[in-house]
Amino acid sequence: MDWLEEKTEKLRVYIRNLSFRKAMVAYILVISAAVWGLSYLTMVFCWHWEIGIWERLGKTESLPLIVYQKGLLWSYQHDFLYTAEERSLLCLDFLRVWCPLIYAVPGMILAIFLFYRKRLARPLSILEDSVEKIRRNDLDFHVSYDSRDELGMLCDSVETMRLELLRDKEEMWRLMERQKELNAAFAHDLRTPLTVLRGYTDFLARYIPEGKISREKLQSTLGLMAEHLKRLEDYSRTMKGIRSIEEVPFSPEKTTFQSMGRKIEEVVFALNQVRDVKIIYTADLPHQGYLAGEMHPAGSGGSGVEQQSDSSIYIDDGLVMEVLENMLSNAIRYAGKQINVMSDYDADSREWILTVRDDGPGFSEEQLDKALRPYYKETEDGGPDDHFGIGLHICRELCKKHGGTLNVANSIRGGAVVTASFLAGAPAEP
């Protein structure tokens, strides 16, 4: 029994997978056989009925000769009939002669109907629904038809087209999201450099009228402002030519701890001129036993950082400063009175580490889990929230580009702690 069912199923699958041409020929042959069989049975039935009528009329002597000479499809040649028996003979004669044609016409109609119902109706309905969904830009469906005939292959082609359209749509969505992220990053990253320039401007506007800035200090400060303006120009030019944050160029160059410390001091000094929050920079680097309080720009008479070594590292200072400025921008929004910036170098892992700690409320549980996601920001009470929720995400991507990581945590003394690491290498191993 199982063998018979298996063979029947194989035959059914074979018939279902026949091409339209072969399937149409098969339907016509089956219907033709049915028409031929019905016609033969009808002719035999009519003939026996006619014999019965002729026997009742007593005129059966010549029937075998007539059938032998003219065949079973011979027809009577009567112009008129008088009795009921003769009219019955004429009707049986007409049915016996014309039954093949009578059966053939509905047989052809039945063949067409069955062929459409069995082979065309379902795939055409599937294709019609698929095209309508694609027209409505709804690609969340699947085109499937369990046959290998022409319409089955057409359904497969439509499914392939749907997948291609879906991939194109997803790629376009990714491009739009990247462009949105890039635009937000561009707008976000301009804030801190502009604030730094504003800090230098306020510094000059405050002390120049009082005559407290010497010519050398003025030239030094203007030089720092020119450097930041050039950095903004380079940044704008870079952002114009890329399509996503991942394409931000990474160009590590040999530099010194002293040079990086001075750049951090400049940013800290400028931000201290325009913010109520006090920013303190502390460095703990190889052979650099210094501790700097509130920093001042080079040449301004402040304490500064006194370099004790020529230790060098390979680092992309523009990328690192962008990360630092983003970290400071986020810390300033939440800090109460003070922000600590700390730098360190781990010789074993060859990582340069920047840590920004504030004395604000710290991260909530949800923020610790989602703070590094793009466009994440918690609803805050009070005035309008105009930040993009992308700063820490940008920092993480840039740290990854530099071979490092970004981590967020809460300090045991209260406040948030954000730590960025950068693979800095060694002088002999760029």
Side-chain angles (χ1 to χ4, degrees), residues 80-148:
F80 54 88
L81 298 171
Y82 297 99
T83 64
E85 286 82 0
E86 290 176 334
R87 288 195 293 272
S88 298
L89 285 172
L90 185 59
C91 291
L92 291 172
D93 171 69
F94 177 82
L95 183 60
R96 173 171 51 80
V97 173
W98 295 101
C99 64
L101 181 61
I102 294 173
Y103 290 144
V105 173
M108 288 187 293
I109 296 174
L110 179 63
I112 294 172
F113 174 79
L114 289 176
F115 184 80
Y116 177 83
R117 180 179 178 182
K118 297 293 185 180
R119 304 302 298 268
L120 297 179
R122 183 164 175 259
L124 287 177
S125 176
I126 292 174
L127 291 171
E128 183 180 3
D129 292 342
S130 301
V131 171
E132 178 61 22
K133 289 180 179 179
I134 292 175
R135 187 188 67 81
R136 296 198 309 265
N137 204 26
D138 176 16
L139 302 178
D140 188 18
F141 67 96
H142 179 66
V143 183
S144 176
Y145 179 58
D146 55 348
S147 175
R148 297 296 91 197

Side-chain angles (χ1 to χ4, degrees), residues 14-236:
Y14 173 77
I15 294 174
R16 186 176 66 237
N17 292 333
L18 286 175
S19 65
F20 281 169
R21 181 173 58 186
K22 293 180 180 179
M24 179 59 76
V25 171
Y27 274 84
I28 292 175
L29 290 177
V30 170
I31 294 298
S32 298
V35 169
W36 181 86
L38 287 174
S39 298
Y40 178 78
L41 293 175
T42 301
M43 287 186 288
V44 171
F45 173 78
C46 292
W47 174 242
H48 283 289
W49 199 342
E50 289 179 61
I51 291 176
I53 294 175
W54 281 106
E55 287 178 347
R56 288 196 299 272
L57 295 176
K59 298 179 179 181
T60 60
E61 299 85 1
S62 60
L63 285 178
L65 180 61
I66 294 175
V67 172
Y68 177 76
Q69 293 177 347
K70 298 183 178 181
L72 194 60
L73 295 178
W74 65 276
S75 178
Y76 296 106
Q77 303 296 324
H78 292 295
D79 295 332
F80 54 88
L81 298 171
Y82 297 99
T83 64
E85 286 82 0
E86 290 176 334
R87 288 195 293 272
S88 298
L89 285 172
L90 185 59
C91 291
L92 291 172
D93 171 69
F94 177 82
L95 183 60
R96 173 171 51 80
V97 173
W98 295 101
C99 64
L101 181 61
I102 294 173
Y103 290 144
V105 173
M108 288 187 293
I109 296 174
L110 179 63
I112 294 172
F113 174 79
L114 289 176
F115 184 80
Y116 177 83
R117 180 179 178 182
K118 297 293 185 180
R119 304 302 298 268
L120 297 179
R122 183 164 175 259
L124 287 177
S125 176
I126 292 174
L127 291 171
E128 183 180 3
D129 292 342
S130 301
V131 171
E132 178 61 22
K133 289 180 179 179
I134 292 175
R135 187 188 67 81
R136 296 198 309 265
N137 204 26
D138 176 16
L139 302 178
D140 188 18
F141 67 96
H142 179 66
V143 183
S144 176
Y145 179 58
D146 55 348
S147 175
R148 297 296 91 197
D149 59 14
E150 288 84 345
L151 283 180
M153 291 186 287
L154 182 58
C155 288
D156 291 341
S157 299
V158 172
E159 173 65 10
T160 302
M161 180 183 68
R162 182 193 72 85
L163 293 175
E164 289 295 331
L165 289 173
L166 185 60
R167 280 192 288 268
D168 291 343
K169 185 176 180 180
E170 291 175 347
E171 180 62 23
M172 183 178 297
W173 179 259
R174 283 194 294 268
L175 290 175
M176 291 176 61
E177 283 297 304
R178 286 181 176 179
Q179 188 62 47
K180 176 183 175 184
E181 185 179 88
L182 193 63
N183 293 338
F186 182 70
H188 185 279
D189 289 354
L190 286 179
R191 290 185 173 189
T192 304
L194 291 175
T195 303
V196 170
L197 289 173
R198 179 186 170 190
Y200 286 127
T201 304
D202 291 348
F203 173 74
L204 295 177
R206 185 184 308 128
Y207 293 110
I208 286 180
E210 300 177 4
K212 295 182 178 180
I213 300 181
S214 65
R215 182 182 182 86
E216 292 75 13
K217 295 177 183 178
L218 177 60
Q219 289 178 343
S220 176
T221 304
L222 291 175
L224 294 175
M225 295 178 67
E227 290 181 8
H228 279 277
L229 286 172
K230 183 179 183 302
R231 180 166 166 243
L232 281 176
E233 291 175 357
D234 294 340
Y235 178 73
S236 300

